[in-house]
Amino acid sequence: MLHFSILGALEIRTSAGKAEIPGDLQRSLIQVLLVSEGRSVSGETLAEEMWGDSAPDNQANALQAHISRLRRRLKSLEPDSPVSRLSTHPSGYRLTVAAGELDADEFVKKIAEAETLLAARPERAAELLRQALGMWRGPAFGHFPGGAVCRLAGARYEEQRLRAMELLFDAELRVGRHARILAELNEAHISNPLRERFCEQFMIALYRSGRQADALDAYRRMWRRLSDEIGVLPSPSLRGVEHAILSHAPELTPGDDCPVSQSA
């Protein structure tokens, strides 16, 4: 069994340890096959991902050579496997990856499971989300994002990572752990200054920590940033949190029977 990691620099691990995939073109090839989630990828797409506008004159032959090279490399990592993971189809090429072998797939599954548990079992949801976020070793694909297909996939995974952070903070707030996550929330808010949900959660955590003035100051700074940088007003949800803080709304009080909502 192999384990493929793309939540960070590309890694392939076997029972014996980390396996090297030498060369940028080989890394580009396996990355685009991995993010295609078991679907066939056309030769044209693979070539575009590997070479962009610098494709060689003998592009088809060059691609076939790289396919053969990767197939041999993967086979060498699983010498007892009766079939090749990398197969050829009329529509292109497909890499077979079983359940549990790709970190990005496991990351997405953990988020989905946590989301279903958030209302009824927020502590378990928080545990799953911390496990999921702990799978990241750096930006998707590290410092080698590849071509357009991989860059789009990387952006999609990054959005899911931010969503997982939002869900985690929601879960922690539901069980009254506002003090525990204040530093994490502050970092998330600073790192994503136009993402309003982090600001909402940060304001709630500050308010619950007895720092109402700081919570309202965070709102004012967010208001100015939204106005100055993109010319919009805070969303109804963010304005609702400010109003709830000013009126000391009971829904801001932590408790199992009083979950934090998007509209606070």
Side-chain angles (χ1 to χ4, degrees):
M1 179 177 178
L2 302 181
H3 188 266
F4 302 91
S5 299
I6 58 176
L7 302 180
L10 172 68
E11 284 188 0
I12 303 177
R13 291 192 174 274
T14 71
S15 57
K18 184 178 175 181
E20 293 295 331
I21 298 293
D24 290 352
L25 292 175
Q26 286 283 290
R27 286 195 291 273
S28 291
L29 178 56
I30 195 165
Q31 284 181 180
V32 70
L33 289 166
L34 284 169
V35 301
S36 298
E37 300 176 342
R39 297 185 299 272
S40 293
V41 185
S42 70
E44 291 79 6
T45 297
L46 292 175
E48 176 65 25
E49 196 76 2
M50 293 168 67
W51 289 291
D53 296 330
S54 303
D57 294 336
N58 57 342
Q59 175 181 297
N61 290 338
L63 175 60
Q64 187 57 53
H66 279 285
I67 290 288
S68 298
R69 180 181 171 190
L70 180 58
R71 184 180 285 122
R72 289 194 302 271
R73 180 60 177 140
L74 293 172
K75 178 63 177 175
S76 73
L77 300 178
E78 298 179 296
D80 298 329
S81 177
V83 296
S84 174
R85 282 181 177 267
L86 182 51
S87 53
T88 304
H89 300 267
S91 56
Y93 303 91
R94 183 166 69 89
L95 181 67
T96 299
V97 179
E101 291 186 332
L102 178 62
D103 62 349
D105 285 348
E106 294 303 295
F107 171 70
V108 172
K109 288 177 184 176
K110 284 184 183 294
I111 296 174
E113 183 181 357
E115 196 157 11
T116 64
L117 295 172
L118 184 60
R121 300 177 60 194
E123 289 188 68
R124 175 55 180 159
E127 181 182 351
L128 283 170
L129 289 161
R130 287 198 180 276
Q131 290 174 5
L133 290 165
M135 298 171 72
W136 284 74
R137 297 170 289 108
F141 311 114
H143 299 295
F144 189 76
V149 172
C150 286
R151 288 197 298 271
L152 286 172
R156 184 172 70 249
Y157 293 135
E158 175 61 17
E159 179 59 32
Q160 290 169 328
R161 186 184 71 85
L162 294 174
R163 174 62 177 155
M165 291 173 65
E166 290 175 345
L167 291 170
L168 171 63
F169 296 142
D170 276 345
E172 298 284 29
L173 288 170
R174 283 174 181 267
V175 294
R177 291 192 279 218
H178 42 274
R180 171 179 171 175
I181 62 170
L182 258 178
E184 292 176 275
L185 267 171
N186 186 36
E187 181 179 353
H189 177 45
I190 291 173
S191 300
N192 303 274
L194 298 178
R195 200 169 182 98
E196 292 186 56
R197 185 57 183 152
F198 286 145
C199 184
E200 294 174 26
Q201 294 168 319
F202 186 42
M203 290 167 63
I204 292 168
L206 286 169
Y207 175 80
R208 289 182 176 181
S209 300
R211 297 170 59 183
Q212 179 177 349
D214 289 336
L216 294 172
D217 184 59
Y219 173 80
R220 286 190 289 270
R221 284 186 280 109
M222 186 72 179
W223 189 95
R224 287 194 297 271
R225 186 176 295 115
L226 291 170
S227 176
D228 293 345
E229 295 188 20
I230 56 178
V232 300
L233 294 174
S235 67
S237 180
L238 183 56
R239 294 199 302 271
V241 173
E242 183 216 21
H243 177 74
I245 289 172
L246 288 170
S247 60
H248 300 282
E251 60 262 31
L252 293 182
T253 304
D256 293 337
D257 59 341
C258 190
V260 179
S261 71
Q262 290 274 102
S263 57

